[in-house]
Amino acid sequence: MAHPHTMNAAQTLLEAGADQAIALECGDERLRYDALRQRVRRAAGAWLALGLQRGQRVAVFAPDSIDWVVAYLGAIWAGGVSVGINPQIGLAELAPILDESEVRFVWCEADSTAALSGLLAGMAAAPTLVLGGSAQSPWSKLVGQTGEVDPVLRDDDAPALWIGTSGTTGVPKGVVHAQRVAGQPHAFASGVLGLSASDRLYASSKLFFAYALGNSLFAGLRAGATVILDRQWPQPERVLAMVRQHRPTIVFCVPTLYSRMLQAGVARQLAGQGIGQFVSAGESLPAAVGSAWREATGLGIVSGYGTSETLCLMLYSQNDQGLLQPTPGTQVRFAPDADPGLPQRIWLRSGTVALGYWKRPQAQADGFQDGWYCPGDMFLRRDDGRLEFAGRSDDLLKISGRWVSTLWVEQALSLAAGPSVLQLACIGVPSEDGLTALCLLVQAAAGQQAVAAELIAAGIEALPTYRRPAWVHWVDALPLTATGKLQRERLKAMHQAALTPVP
């Protein structure tokens, strides 16, 4: 008799969809829920035939596709643990990830096998390559020959999947999520966006990224809706093409892409395409981008806050001030001794909070406690209980005796510069007197350098003295991660380089 607290995350995700409803679309391929369930059961059989043992890791290293989803969910169905990895990652970055996570199999496509084979040849305990991605691949043939298997039930706190942190502040960590993560991944989408089985979800971010995996794929499947996938990397024109072809009703993007779609004139073309909700997450949405988007499309952007550790969005804002409140099913608590007038770290709890990190005891102790997770980000509590995002703890600086969040400076100057600036970032750096000062790095929109310089100068002048950047550097581009987030750890080196005289 099954233990009352056993489940299988893949089975839970797939149980709601009506047989004849379309579960997944990718290009011209469409797959109904009954066929998806059958293919996942067969994929699980294939994993078991290859020797996958309960709890072993399977890395899925390929562009997004229906086959990606089948291989990923099939490994979980078979009792394994799935790990989506950025297919554009360099081999030098991939090697330590595979080595540390002790992956048993790597599911990939033909164009990456040669490079992966060379990489794995140098590993002491190399995982086995599994070649998929086409109807003629060894994986597809094995799936076709294998019978369907029942889901392997595991304790609801047993690992089901891993997600790599985005690496914006250093080396990515492996975040271990439990089977129970599949219970309520649609709490935000259903409770805030009104997600139903008739909706069509499209995330421009890729499935190795928690934002797309949790809020689009998992939420969409759990609600019996249709999830739209794309093999290609997101560009403004590509988003427009996807919307025209697949007609999504809910669209998930990151702030930098919303900004680029405004710059490219794509935003206005998205109006009238049947989209009912736009969602932003991954980093803070500049107020200027939100207001420009509303003007261009007639729709505001729901701004969300979530992390790899929470999988899904935990906080959201539907107002132009960006003030956040908990999503349905999310609990928030504060440190009892924290000064409510200062930004502080918060604790979050929901069914999608991870078990913790793989082999990171110090980070584990700092971030996880009794089912609660404490991000490294800071929030200011308003009197009505809503939260104002203040950036990471290391973005909060004491300048002239006053607390300053670099995020607040970025928001103010982004609003002042409007569309003349493509992206900007503010960081704290040492000044000549050994104290902390602010530095601004700005990427102007094409042909807008002179206008942007005037607007930024006026915006700085309007700030309180202690919030004014001491340096402004104009750059060709700011460094981004594969998920479109700013790589802040590289900005201080850019500041130093800008100060160094050219010989």
Side-chain angles (χ1 to χ4, degrees), residues 321 323 334 340 379-388:
Q321 294 82 39
L323 298 178
F334 307 89
F379 297 85
L380 187 64
R381 257 193 289 178
R382 291 295 184 92
D383 291 339
D384 62 2
R386 291 185 297 177
L387 300 168
E388 181 179 358

Side-chain angles (χ1 to χ4, degrees), residues 23-107:
L24 301 172
E25 289 187 10
C26 187
D28 295 328
E29 190 180 1
R30 306 172 82 195
L31 194 67
R32 300 186 327 197
Y33 272 95
D34 55 357
L36 176 59
R37 284 188 280 262
Q38 181 186 56
R39 282 179 60 177
V40 169
R41 287 194 294 263
R42 285 182 173 275
W47 284 123
L48 293 172
L50 288 169
L52 178 67
Q53 301 293 309
R54 186 175 297 202
Q56 289 183 331
R57 265 82 62 198
V58 172
V60 181
F61 181 76
D64 289 2
S65 67
I66 290 176
D67 281 348
W68 190 107
V69 175
V70 169
Y72 187 96
L73 294 181
I76 297 173
W77 192 282
V81 177
S82 290
V83 187
I85 297 180
N86 176 8
Q88 295 196 350
I89 196 172
L91 294 182
E93 297 170 86
L94 178 61
I97 293 174
L98 295 179
D99 191 46
E100 182 187 59
S101 56
E102 300 168 15
V103 165
R104 174 76 171 82
F105 295 99
V106 177
W107 188 94

